[in-house]
Amino acid sequence: MRVAMIGTGYVGLVSGACFADFGHVVTCIDKDESKIERLHAGEMPIYEPGLDGLVEANVRDGRLFFTTDGAEAIREADAVFIAVGTPSRRGDGHADLSYVHAAAEEIAGLIQGFTVVVTKSTVPVGTGDEVEAIIRRTNPDADVVVVSNPEFLREGAAIGDFKRPDRVVIGIDELESDRGARARAVMAELYRPLNLNESPLLFVARRTSELIKYAANAFLAMKITFINEMADLCEKIGADVQQVARGIGLDNRIGSKFLHAGPGYGGSCFPKDTLALVHTAKEAGAPVRLVETTVAVNDARKKSMVERVRAAVGGDLKGKTVGLLGLTFKPNTDDMRDSPALDLVPALTAAGATVQAFDPEGMEEAGKLLRDLTFVDGPYEALAGADAAVIVTEWDQFRALDLDRVKLKMAKPVMVDLRNVYRPDEMRARGFDYWSIGRA
């Protein structure tokens, strides 16, 4: 099948490359000329393990193309995916749909013959209705069905998630009608290779599909926030949050995933999606109070991490040197969106600390967002002369540090482990003043 993918950001590029690897002919479209030039040169605009090789192979085999002018690709496409950004709108937290609406207008003037238009971007409930209205208004004769197909990709594991998903949610209205059946057939053919893995395609109504995405992310965000609050309680009463998490996670009604205590969730999805769901629910007159509380608790938690570092260095950060290990919101990505480091670094420098930091992939992006810190070439350089080491992101290389070398590098052997990478008893035995989350 022929696919046009509007947007070469995280979702669009990964989805386009994976569809091409399924055997479809995919054209990825973006108005950013520099991004398209980089892709033509084989340079990835994002860091995602395995993506460069996947793109290279499918470009070489003639199934994957990149362009700033998508007119021909849209006219010839069986399916046109909208995979543009939907950031939180400043001031009110609503999802900014301006890019989605612009894409719908562009598509409307170009489509020829029966076409399925798919919203792949994370969008509020009812956006599919808006996209369809824009297309009908712009091109009343368009033979089109608008479908919702939310993504559930984890940064750092996106290719595996796309090819071996738990489920593929597809929202189509009037499924029993002729047009609905034709759209279903197109979507089923696009994802046909997943049948080998018995991956379930879940066909639902369009608005239901849109809500599934927000509900899933909000539930996971609540799960993270819940275990973070349990971690605070553990510290007060002398319990171990990791054992608590294991004890409840072995209950298959709860499960072990997303029960890792830390400095609060960040990234491209949870913060903006929980905010968007809160505003959607308020407008509908059905407030989601658990999600509202989750947002507030998580924001406060990220801001409070500086107090842990302050306590570890004796209560005063002025004149202290802090070595940060990790800046991105999670490992195996260069994504800095809503990373805890964005709250921690300014708070440290405002308190008078000198910050030197290393991240394996995130320093270029961090440099666009953070000031008054020094980026260095490795973890040991970050800890040179430091009064405290702070693990912000659990990259693999931070899990196996040469602790003797760390002690020699640091001014004082103080470690604040915001990801519980190390064991308290072992760190104390190695002579460290060790601070972690939810443990003695």
Side-chain angles (χ1 to χ4, degrees):
M1 303 197 83
R2 291 190 170 273
V3 175
M5 184 73 62
I6 300 180
T8 58
Y10 187 84
V11 173
L13 185 55
V14 171
S15 299
C18 288
F19 274 132
D21 211 48
F22 284 171
H24 305 300
V25 178
V26 180
T27 301
C28 291
I29 305 158
D30 203 294
K31 295 186 181 301
D32 187 335
E33 292 185 7
S34 64
K35 186 182 287 187
I36 296 300
E37 288 173 1
R38 288 178 65 189
L39 286 165
H40 281 150
E43 299 175 11
M44 298 300 102
I46 59 171
Y47 175 76
E48 176 64 32
L51 183 59
D52 52 353
L54 190 69
V55 168
E56 180 184 0
N58 284 282
V59 168
R60 183 183 62 240
D61 293 343
R63 292 189 298 268
L64 183 60
F65 303 88
F66 303 102
T67 184
T68 56
D69 182 3
E72 182 178 355
I74 292 171
R75 282 193 290 264
E76 295 179 351
D78 299 292
V80 181
F81 283 76
I82 298 175
V84 296
T86 55
S88 290
R89 202 164 59 193
R90 287 188 177 182
D92 61 9
H94 279 282
D96 182 350
L97 297 177
S98 56
Y99 299 115
V100 173
H101 293 162
E105 282 196 30
E106 181 180 359
I107 292 165
L110 294 170
I111 52 178
Q112 294 181 358
F114 179 72
T115 307
V116 178
V117 174
V118 187
T119 53
K120 196 68 172 169
S121 305
T122 300
V123 294
V125 177
T127 301
D129 302 349
E130 297 173 16
V131 169
E132 184 167 4
I134 289 169
I135 294 173
R136 299 292 178 205
R137 184 170 64 248
T138 307
N139 184 358
D141 298 324
D143 189 7
V144 64
V145 174
V146 176
V147 169
S148 167
N149 177 213
E151 55 84 17
F152 298 96
L153 307 179
R154 295 169 298 159
E155 294 185 45
I159 294 170
D161 286 347
F162 193 99
K163 291 187 172 185
R164 295 175 293 278
D166 298 319
R167 76 291 199 202
V168 177
V169 177
I170 300 170
I172 305 175
D173 284 348
E174 301 177 24
L175 263 174
E176 304 306 317
S177 69
D178 177 65
R179 292 173 65 255
R182 291 170 72 191
R184 177 173 182 149
V186 169
M187 297 303 294
E189 179 62 21
L190 282 172
Y191 285 106
R192 184 173 57 83
L194 297 183
N195 291 340
L196 298 174
N197 299 329
E198 298 182 353
S199 297
L201 269 62
L202 176 63
F203 287 93
V204 297
R206 193 165 61 200
R207 285 189 165 219
T208 301
S209 172
E210 292 167 341
L211 183 56
I212 285 171
K213 168 66 176 180
Y214 278 113
N217 279 356
F219 186 86
L220 296 176
M222 286 193 295
K223 199 172 179 183
I224 293 169
T225 304
F226 172 82
I227 201 63
N228 282 338
E229 293 213 305
M230 290 298 102
D232 290 346
L233 178 58
C234 284
E235 291 173 3
K236 298 294 186 183
I237 65 173
D240 186 323
V241 71
Q242 289 188 295
Q243 293 178 10
V244 170
R246 179 168 171 75
I248 64 176
L250 288 170
D251 185 331
N252 59 20
R253 296 170 300 173
I254 297 172
S256 61
K257 293 182 179 179
F258 294 88
L259 286 179
H260 303 288
Y265 62 76
S268 59
C269 295
F270 289 176
K272 75 179 182 65
D273 292 354
T274 48
L275 275 175
L277 180 59
V278 164
H279 286 284
T280 295
K282 283 182 177 178
E283 289 181 350
V288 283
R289 295 184 180 89
L290 287 175
V291 184
E292 291 175 16
T293 302
T294 295
V295 171
V297 170
N298 189 68
D299 286 346
R301 183 169 191 81
K302 288 191 289 186
K303 290 179 171 60
S304 72
M305 290 299 107
V306 68
E307 299 306 323
R308 292 176 178 267
V309 184
R310 192 193 309 274
V313 298
D316 187 1
L317 283 160
K318 190 173 182 179
K320 299 295 195 303
T321 297
V322 177
L324 291 192
L325 300 180
L327 294 164
T328 54
F329 85 96
K330 64 181 288 188
N332 296 321
T333 181
D334 60 352
D335 198 338
M336 284 293 301
R337 284 175 285 187
D338 279 290
S339 167
L342 297 179
D343 288 297
L344 181 58
V345 171
L348 288 171
T349 56
T354 297
V355 178
Q356 46 201 37
F358 170 72
D359 188 283
E361 295 293 338
M363 291 194 291
E364 182 178 348
E365 289 301 311
K368 301 172 185 177
L369 302 168
L370 294 170
R371 298 290 181 269
D372 302 324
L373 77 164
T374 301
F375 297 108
V376 297
D377 294 331
Y380 300 104
E381 289 80 0
L383 302 182
D387 297 285
V390 182
I391 299 179
V392 179
T393 315
E394 66 276 32
W395 286 91
D396 283 347
Q397 64 181 273
F398 303 151
R399 295 176 179 272
L401 294 169
D402 181 338
L403 295 174
D404 292 331
R405 185 179 175 188
V406 168
K407 281 182 67 177
L408 288 173
K409 284 281 188 180
M410 296 182 68
K412 296 178 181 178
V414 177
M415 181 176 287
V416 183
D417 184 356
L418 301 182
R419 299 292 183 175
N420 288 354
V421 170
Y422 292 96
R423 294 172 58 91
D425 54 348
E426 291 179 357
M427 293 301 288
R428 285 194 293 272
R430 300 294 288 269
F432 280 85
D433 183 6
Y434 179 73
W435 301 62
S436 59
I437 301 289
R439 304 185 295 184

